[in-house]
Amino acid sequence: MRRTAAAVVAVAVLFVAGCSSSGGDDDSDTPTGGPSGRPDDRKVSGLRGVTLPSWNADDYSSPQAGTYLRQIAATGARWVTFTPTWYQDRVTDSAMRTTDETAGDDSLRHIIRLAHDAGLKTMVKPHVDLTKGGDRAEIRPRDRDAWFDAYERFITHYARLSADAGVEQFSVGTELAGTSQDGERWGRTIAAIRERYKGPLTYAANYDEYQKIPFWKDLDVIGIDAYWPLADKATADPARLRQAWQPITRELAAFSERQHRKILFTEAGYVSQRGTTTAPYSWTVSKRSGEDEQAAAYEALFAAFDGKPWWAGVCWWMWDDWPDSGETAKRLAYTPHGKPAEKVLRKWWARS
């Protein structure tokens, strides 16, 4: 999920198809199957998570970090996702770099330790964004070889850090639709990651991207950022929203079976604004509060997916923003904290 821009352009027809499971986490040290066979599903099941993104170098080492992690754990979450981000100026650039908005390495190590101390497992999901605005899905580098060389340096840096810090799961990329169909180059990148990180791997594909990914066989779990529009107008009716999920669940079940991989919602979320389910990827659906709609959307997702044997869980986007860094007022933002949606989280996650 990008901070200030919609993840995708809204589709023409909205009321159509197109991280929580009740299963327990498994603490076995059995390695995953890797690229040569079906993964060990015990390593990629039952993920109940919340994302805590960073927007500045020292967010993860700030005094609020421990408080946020304890609040996340209190919902019943077992996982937390962190999103260190590098940037490029234009979609055609051939490299990405750190900026003052990139989480510092020591800051990232610090919050991983805090998360483990709070009893949470961790996923690191590095992002690439654009300094001049725009959608990372539109990145189409002019020199693809140079871009993939730079991307490998970027992603293996975090793979190595994650291995050293005991991170339990790692994402090899997020919503890079402009490059993700290049299976050969991504295959080489994933092989380089596996040399440095031995835990389960995923890729966070946007909901309109996942069917085009050629390298799921190289990963342990299919990751989807699940921002499907579910309605053509504002609604707080969980039954209606659950019905809208039905064709999507059938599509995902079939895809999971074909790929021999479980499906993890690496992101899912809804702003607390009126009409949020018409464009879940948007930070600015309206200026009117819609906490009841946000809660209904949480309820519908849980009801539609909980207990599905092919579903590995959900990592909700996102918890509270850091002080003085939020571009959207908390009462309208993605966070469920202190809203009816948090009660929905606690209800479902209290069941196991």
Side-chain angles (χ1 to χ4, degrees):
M1 168 63 67
R2 279 189 50 77
R3 180 177 177 80
T4 56
V8 294
V9 176
V11 293
V13 179
L14 293 174
F15 195 68
V16 292
C19 102
S20 156
S21 171
S22 61
D25 294 312
D26 185 271
D27 295 318
S28 167
D29 290 328
T30 305
T32 58
S36 62
R38 187 183 181 93
D40 182 348
D41 283 341
R42 293 174 299 173
K43 283 288 188 179
V44 293
S45 296
L47 194 151
R48 305 198 316 238
V50 177
T51 302
L52 186 58
S54 66
W55 313 119
N56 295 291
D58 59 355
D59 280 345
Y60 286 154
S61 57
S62 72
Q64 289 77 23
T67 299
Y68 287 170
L69 292 170
R70 289 189 293 273
Q71 291 169 346
I72 289 169
T75 67
R78 294 182 179 177
W79 289 75
V80 61
T81 294
F82 303 123
T83 61
T85 304
W86 287 21
Y87 295 84
Q88 55 187 76
D89 292 335
R90 293 167 292 272
V91 296
T92 55
D93 286 355
S94 300
M96 62 290 306
R97 66 186 188 280
T98 62
T99 72
D100 58 6
E101 296 183 357
T102 301
D105 287 352
D106 288 343
S107 178
L108 181 57
R109 293 186 187 97
H110 173 74
I111 203 164
I112 291 168
R113 287 194 299 271
L114 290 182
H116 288 155
D117 290 345
L120 294 164
K121 294 184 179 181
T122 57
M123 177 162 65
V124 170
K125 185 164 75 70
H127 289 186
V128 176
D129 275 332
L130 297 159
T131 61
K132 299 183 184 301
D135 189 341
R136 70 174 73 95
E138 300 302 319
I139 292 174
R140 288 172 174 79
R142 187 173 291 112
D143 185 337
R144 293 177 74 84
D145 286 335
W147 188 88
F148 271 96
D149 286 345
Y151 188 84
E152 183 175 317
R153 290 192 294 273
F154 153 72
I155 201 68
T156 55
H157 169 78
Y158 287 110
R160 192 179 301 110
L161 185 155
S162 296
D164 292 343
V167 167
E168 287 83 0
Q169 187 159 271
F170 187 79
S171 176
V172 304
T174 299
E175 298 174 0
L176 292 168
T179 69
S180 63
Q181 295 179 53
D182 192 331
E184 182 178 351
R185 286 186 174 93
W186 273 99
R188 290 198 296 267
T189 300
I190 293 165
I193 293 167
R194 285 206 183 271
E195 289 178 2
R196 296 159 175 84
Y197 179 82
K198 304 306 180 183
L201 298 180
T202 189
Y203 169 83
N206 204 27
Y207 76 95
D208 58 355
E209 175 194 8
Y210 78 93
Q211 295 192 47
K212 306 169 188 175
I213 302 294
F215 51 84
W216 290 128
K217 67 183 184 304
D218 298 328
L219 302 173
D220 300 290
V221 63
I222 296 163
I224 300 178
D225 289 357
Y227 295 108
W228 280 274
L230 299 174
D232 56 2
K233 60 183 179 181
T235 179
D237 183 354
R240 181 186 177 197
L241 296 172
R242 183 177 183 181
Q243 184 178 21
W245 275 117
Q246 289 180 359
I248 303 170
T249 58
R250 290 193 293 268
E251 173 188 300
L252 294 177
F255 190 77
S256 172
E257 184 175 6
R258 290 196 302 274
Q259 296 292 330
H260 307 293
R261 299 291 187 276
K262 288 194 173 190
I263 292 174
L264 169 67
F265 286 173
T266 37
E267 290 182 22
Y270 304 90
V271 290
S272 48
Q273 298 171 26
R274 181 169 172 78
T276 184
T277 56
T278 68
Y281 44 78
S282 175
W283 293 73
T284 53
V285 178
S286 74
K287 296 181 180 179
R288 296 176 58 187
S289 178
E291 290 186 357
D292 56 341
E293 296 180 43
Q294 181 190 44
Y298 270 59
E299 180 71 34
L301 188 148
F302 279 123
F305 290 95
D306 190 70
K308 293 286 191 293
W310 47 266
W311 192 55
V314 59
C315 193
W316 290 98
W317 184 274
M318 50 172 256
W319 202 245
D320 279 359
D321 227 329
W322 305 94
D324 303 321
S325 69
E327 295 178 359
T328 303
K330 179 179 177 179
R331 68 182 183 85
L332 299 174
Y334 277 95
T335 179
H337 184 208
K339 303 174 184 177
E342 183 177 359
K343 295 180 180 179
V344 176
L345 273 184
R346 289 171 175 267
K347 178 186 75 172
W348 281 89
W349 284 347
R351 294 184 177 191
S352 60

